[in-house]
Each structure stands twice: as structure tokens, then as C-alpha cells.
Amino acid sequence: MASDLTKKYYKIKDVAEILCVSQPTLRYWEMEFPEVRPMRSNANIRYYTPDDIETLRIIHYLVKIKGLKIEAAREQMRLNRSNISKRMDIIDRLSDVRDELEMMLKSLEKRR
């Protein structure tokens, strides 16, 4: 996913749209997870790097998809981050394959 991001920095509004979560959720995760520390401007505007967004993507997966409580997600991030990242990449690839297969199936059904 981080490779899909072309800009060097993203504002909180952009990150919220990318991850499909609210801005208050991102601010909350920033307080709860020490790994999330976006840069701030003199006007206190948050600027997230692609690496920050990848970290937030992992948090999103743990909290919103797997349904872990914040404490459990924090522990998983501390103990097992690389494994979580690999698992998410596999899930993303499998989702892409599924989408492609569904598209092929629809195409075949139209031919009938």
C-alpha cells in the first residue's frame, strides 16, 4: 500500500479518506499508539508520511477488521508487527485475485 502513495506528506483529511475512518479516530489512535507520530507544522497541522499511513493501516486492520481492543492491538504492534504486515499483504493480494476472478465470472456469464 505504501508504494501506492505518491506524495511525501498527507494531511489528516487525506489519510482519513484513504483508510475510510474519521479524523477523530486518527487523532485517538495517535494518542493510543506511540508508533503514530506525524510531523506537525508551526500551525499544528499534522503531516503523515507513507510509513505513518502504513502504520495506521495496520492499526485499522487490528482494531476495525480483527476487532481487537486497543490494548491488545498495541501489544500485537509491539510483538508481531512484521507478521501482521505480511498477513495484510497476503489478504490484499488474495482480495485482488478474488476481484479479478469475479470480474472474469461476470464476463463469462454475459457471454451466455
Side-chain angles (χ1 to χ4, degrees):
M1 161 129 184
S3 61
D4 297 341
L5 303 173
T6 56
K7 297 190 317 190
K8 208 173 190 177
Y9 299 103
Y10 294 82
K11 290 184 179 180
I12 192 168
K13 177 184 176 198
D14 301 324
V15 176
E17 288 176 11
I18 290 167
L19 297 175
C20 300
V21 297
S22 68
Q23 293 178 33
T25 297
L26 293 175
R27 288 190 284 273
Y28 176 71
W29 287 348
E30 185 180 324
M31 289 186 313
E32 293 296 326
F33 293 90
E35 299 88 354
V36 181
R37 291 289 169 253
M39 291 181 15
R40 290 179 183 253
S41 70
N42 292 338
N44 209 26
I45 297 172
R46 291 168 172 84
Y47 289 100
Y48 296 87
T49 64
D51 287 339
D52 293 330
I53 295 170
E54 182 62 21
T55 299
L56 287 165
R57 187 172 159 259
I58 292 169
I59 293 168
H60 178 269
Y61 170 75
L62 292 171
V63 174
K64 298 288 187 179
I65 307 298
K66 286 192 76 175
L68 296 179
K69 295 187 188 264
I70 295 294
E71 298 80 26
R74 199 179 305 126
E75 186 71 8
Q76 285 293 309
M77 288 285 290
R78 189 176 66 78
L79 295 175
N80 206 13
R81 181 180 173 145
S82 65
N83 192 28
I84 294 166
S85 231
K86 289 176 189 174
R87 188 175 299 158
M88 286 177 43
D89 290 340
I90 290 168
I91 290 170
D92 285 346
R93 280 188 253 143
L94 287 172
S95 293
D96 291 344
V97 169
R98 181 192 63 214
D99 293 345
E100 191 172 326
L101 288 171
E102 286 176 350
M103 195 170 61
M104 290 173 150
L105 183 61
K106 286 178 184 176
S107 178
L108 286 172
E109 288 173 350
K110 285 181 183 179
R111 290 184 143 188
R112 290 183 183 175

